[in-house]
Amino acid sequence: MITINEHYLKLQASYLFSDIAGRVADFQKKNPDREVIKLGIGDVTKGLTPASIDAFHLAVDEMADDATFRGYGPEQGYDFLRNAIAENDFQSRGADISADEIFVSDGAKCDTGNIQELFARNIKIAIPDPVYPVYLDTNVMAGRTGDFTDDRFQGLVYLDSTRENNFVPSLPEENVDLIYLCFPNNPTGSTITREELQTWVDYARDHKALILFDAAYESFIRDDSLPRSIYELEGAREIAIEFRSFSKSAGFTGTRCAYSVVPRECIAYDSEGSRHFLHSLWNRRHCTKFNGVSYPVQRAAEAIYSEQGKLQTRALTDYYLKNAAHICKTIADLGYEYTGGENSPYIWVDGRMGSWEFFDMLLNKAGVVCTPGAGFGKCGNGYIRFSAFNSYENVETAMSGLTAALSD
Ligand code: MLT
């Protein structure tokens, strides 16, 4: 008899963004004449930059010619891309990361979801609340939690991110082994200072713990005092793995390219307390289960680091940040409290009613889709998240709709 992994039965019925997509599809079916503006899932709307597109086309042409055709590439990514990443995203900012510590992949969602395979089942995990659901659900699937009761999975240490702590969680009071952090944060849009992040690095070093640092939104940082990478901080190489993505920085949500950084010194322990290098374990996993990102996509990603590419991708994130500023202004004018929207494409709003109630109200009255904060965890109850990924015109229309809906 084939039996299932019963940990899957502990999960909520469907993934948050699939649930929202289903509700929106249902609304559109019932209201075929209503226009819907999506500020829910963080999915970019502007096309790839000319620098990426030119490189993409060229690489596709190379694939048509036997002389330049490429078959399987290196699982970890081509050197041309790994070198460009190491130089531009890390070394130029004083972070000591080399090309062979970069693992190119098809998404930060997959990487943050897959990395937990490297760790024992009985580790103590600290997860922020609210949180990007992937970190949580993949650990539930792996059997690292108990049941879901009172809006939380038993056996985890939740790190509350609330108005009181400015949406930056405090260090856990008990010992934990694995810590998920994401800054600029999804979903709250909050940022972490160098000093605050250093306390996490120091905690991890003192407790032989590991930090999984999701920096998928670093390209939205405009405040130079904020860290863009955890490796800008003293002592992080031994205790942190970082995740980055080209999805939001360069419009690759549909093109798929991202990377993880696993420094050579980064360690974890076996049950006897012996040290093991995570770089070799992740490399083993990556080579076994992944066959690399396609050559044209990697060329398109490399082009982001050309002089023109840098200017063009900066213009992309500037565009979405202008949308974010407009959303923030509207929310502030309406007298609602919010965080994020600066150094981040997400705006986290205290909706003064249940999150799903706000979601339904806004969809029905204004045809605007947001993400209910409750879908990101218990601390998200009462909040909603706006994403700045849409055209400026649509954001203006959505904000007029929001203003009218809340003034009714
Ligand atoms: C989000 O809206 O939180 C993100 O787009 C989800 C993702 O990147 O997978």
Side-chain angles (χ1 to χ4, degrees), residues 15 17 40-43 109 132 134 186 217 248 346 371 376 385:
Y15 182 61
F17 294 107
I41 191 167
D43 192 5
K109 178 182 188 175
Y132 179 45
V134 174
N186 180 13
Y217 298 94
K248 317 295 159 78
Y346 294 128
T371 306
F376 296 106
R385 190 196 75 176

Side-chain angles (χ1 to χ4, degrees), residues 130-358:
V131 73
Y132 179 45
V134 174
Y135 316 155
L136 184 61
D137 287 359
T138 51
N139 279 294
V140 175
M141 290 169 176
R144 291 200 186 85
T145 71
D147 287 331
F148 190 68
T149 45
D150 190 23
D151 285 342
R152 285 191 159 174
F153 285 100
Q154 301 304 301
L156 294 176
V157 173
Y158 281 93
L159 304 170
D160 290 356
S161 306
T162 59
R163 183 187 294 114
E164 286 66 41
N165 57 26
N166 217 11
F167 302 96
V168 178
S170 315
L171 296 176
E173 277 161 22
E174 56 193 290
N175 286 357
V176 298
D177 308 307
L178 186 66
I179 301 157
Y180 286 83
L181 293 178
C182 171
F183 289 102
N185 187 258
N186 180 13
T188 68
S190 61
T191 51
I192 193 163
T193 63
R194 252 169 231 284
E195 295 70 28
E196 287 165 334
L197 190 53
Q198 187 68 57
T199 64
W200 283 98
V201 171
D202 295 344
Y203 174 96
R205 292 181 70 88
D206 292 348
H207 293 79
K208 294 186 169 171
L210 182 79
I211 298 175
L212 299 179
F213 190 72
D214 185 349
Y217 298 94
E218 64 78 32
S219 61
F220 292 86
I221 293 177
R222 293 292 178 271
D223 176 347
D224 275 338
S225 71
L226 297 172
R228 283 171 169 248
S229 164
I230 196 163
Y231 305 117
E232 291 172 29
L233 299 164
E234 191 71 36
R237 278 181 61 83
E238 292 86 349
I239 53 78
I241 291 177
E242 183 165 306
F243 304 94
R244 296 270 189 112
S245 169
F246 297 105
S247 283
K248 317 295 159 78
S249 60
F252 273 55
T253 53
T255 307
R256 311 306 308 150
C257 198
Y259 64 90
S260 303
V261 187
V262 188
R264 292 237 172 231
E265 292 94 319
C266 196
I267 47 166
Y269 303 82
D270 63 23
S271 53
E272 321 254 276
S274 301
R275 294 149 54 100
H276 294 270
F277 292 110
L278 291 170
H279 186 279
S280 21
L281 296 187
W282 185 243
N283 189 48
R284 185 71 175 81
R285 192 258 170 219
H286 208 65
C287 294
T288 306
K289 295 198 177 184
F290 188 62
N291 251 342
V293 172
S294 82
Y295 171 69
V297 168
Q298 292 194 56
R299 280 293 185 201
E302 179 201 20
I304 289 161
Y305 299 107
S306 66
E307 215 164 293
Q308 280 309 307
K310 282 181 193 166
L311 291 172
Q312 292 163 3
T313 47
R314 170 80 178 204
L316 273 186
T317 47
D318 278 347
Y319 182 90
Y320 295 124
L321 283 169
K322 185 174 160 216
N323 290 351
H326 184 62
I327 297 172
C328 291
K329 180 173 182 328
T330 309
I331 307 287
D333 288 350
L334 287 164
Y336 281 65
E337 281 189 29
Y338 73 93
T339 186
E342 274 182 354
N343 304 300
S344 160
Y346 294 128
I347 301 97
W348 186 243
V349 182
D350 181 349
R352 301 188 198 151
M353 61 178 95
S355 295
W356 284 102
E357 196 189 334
F358 195 110

Side-chain angles (χ1 to χ4, degrees), residues 54-68:
D54 288 348
F56 216 160
H57 282 160
L58 220 59
V60 168
D61 288 342
E62 283 182 60
M63 296 298 272
D65 185 338
D66 290 354
T68 47

Side-chain angles (χ1 to χ4, degrees), residues 18-53:
S18 316
D19 191 4
I20 293 170
R23 287 176 188 235
V24 173
D26 203 38
F27 174 84
Q28 286 184 301
K29 208 162 149 196
K30 290 188 188 132
N31 303 278
D33 301 330
R34 296 274 307 272
E35 204 199 322
V36 168
I37 299 178
K38 294 182 181 165
L39 303 181
I41 191 167
D43 192 5
V44 294
T45 55
K46 288 188 81 62
L48 298 181
T49 61
S52 281
I53 283 295

